[in-house]
Amino acid sequence: MLNISSDWKDILKDEFEQEYFNNLEDFLRDEYSTHTVYPLQDEIFSAYNVTPYSKVKVVIIGQDPYHNPNQAHGMSFSVKPGVKCPPSLVNIYKELNAELNIPISKSGYLMGWAKQGVFLLNTVLTVRENEPGSHAKKGWERFTDRTIEALSQSDRPICFLLWGKPAQTKKKLIASNPKHLILESAHPSPLSAYRGFFGCNHFKEANDFLREAGLEEIDWSISEC
């Protein structure tokens, strides 16, 4: 069920042997057998498998996966091809357009970002259908905190985008490494985007940081699919 095929497997191998993770696996087996759970089992670790540890340049931290049908596929904020963009993603695209004049896409599939090194991490990796937060406090937070700590320990400069208070609580896991850039703003949801997400300039600042570090910038444009 829980399959990581990239270099993350070795980096996080000690977590798989912990009691909390064994309990999490037991919980998920029961949940997937008795409820509709998102994403699909083989997509839980999509972000890890598409964006290996060694390739991460930008980290965007979300909360738990989308809980409506056909949306979640294991990457924060991204939805599957052909699925209508959720409101938070629409606001992300509006900010991209304002910063970099990137056309607002109808596609919410962020695979192109992930393949360039944008690690799209949710702090909880699974959820019951129509029950947001239903898999919180089952062990995922400990696992994803360890993920963030591992990224913080990297010698390679990484830009962390912390949108909203839940993501900003992770700052303490990163702040000790001066090589990284931490950018904070309100969450892009319709309830909070006007409180500081719009106008945050994070996409431009992230690329400025990467360029100054001698790394290739992210092409933030979205391929229509």
Side-chain angles (χ1 to χ4, degrees), residues 131-148:
E131 295 186 41
S134 51
H135 285 187
K137 299 181 180 179
K138 301 297 183 182
W140 278 130
E141 293 90 344
R142 180 170 170 181
F143 182 81
T144 55
D145 277 1
R146 180 67 193 101
T147 297
I148 296 167

Side-chain angles (χ1 to χ4, degrees), residues 133-202:
S134 51
H135 285 187
K137 299 181 180 179
K138 301 297 183 182
W140 278 130
E141 293 90 344
R142 180 170 170 181
F143 182 81
T144 55
D145 277 1
R146 180 67 193 101
T147 297
I148 296 167
E149 288 174 343
L151 288 165
S152 178
Q153 292 162 6
S154 172
D155 288 332
R156 186 179 63 260
I158 296 173
C159 180
F160 293 82
L161 306 185
L162 307 183
W163 298 337
K165 290 181 179 179
Q168 289 163 14
T169 64
K170 307 303 179 182
K171 183 177 180 179
K172 63 183 182 292
L173 304 174
I174 310 160
S176 62
N177 192 333
K179 290 189 175 182
H180 304 319
L181 176 65
I182 300 173
L183 300 176
E184 301 177 73
S185 77
H187 193 274
S189 75
L191 295 175
S192 58
Y194 288 94
R195 300 174 190 166
F197 178 76
F198 289 139
C200 69
N201 221 31
H202 281 186

Side-chain angles (χ1 to χ4, degrees), residues 24-114:
L24 174 61
E25 286 187 297
D26 291 341
F27 168 75
L28 291 173
R29 287 190 190 95
D30 182 66
E31 285 288 288
Y32 274 96
S33 64
T34 57
H35 298 85
T36 299
V37 175
Y38 301 123
L40 299 174
Q41 292 184 43
D42 61 0
E43 294 177 334
I44 293 173
F45 288 112
S46 291
Y48 293 79
N49 290 330
V50 175
T51 313
Y53 178 85
S54 60
K55 302 296 184 182
V56 175
K57 295 192 285 188
V58 178
V59 180
I60 299 179
I61 300 175
Q63 296 178 45
D64 56 353
Y66 295 121
H67 55 85
N68 292 324
N70 302 316
Q71 290 184 316
H73 65 101
M75 298 181 188
S76 64
F77 294 101
S78 181
V79 293
K80 292 182 177 181
V83 176
K84 182 180 179 180
C85 290
S88 291
L89 189 53
V90 171
N91 285 340
I92 289 171
Y93 288 172
K94 289 179 179 178
E95 177 61 21
L96 271 174
N97 177 257
E99 289 185 29
L100 301 172
N101 201 32
I102 291 174
I104 295 175
S105 176
K106 293 182 179 179
S107 171
Y109 192 50
L110 303 181
M111 182 65 73
W113 291 5

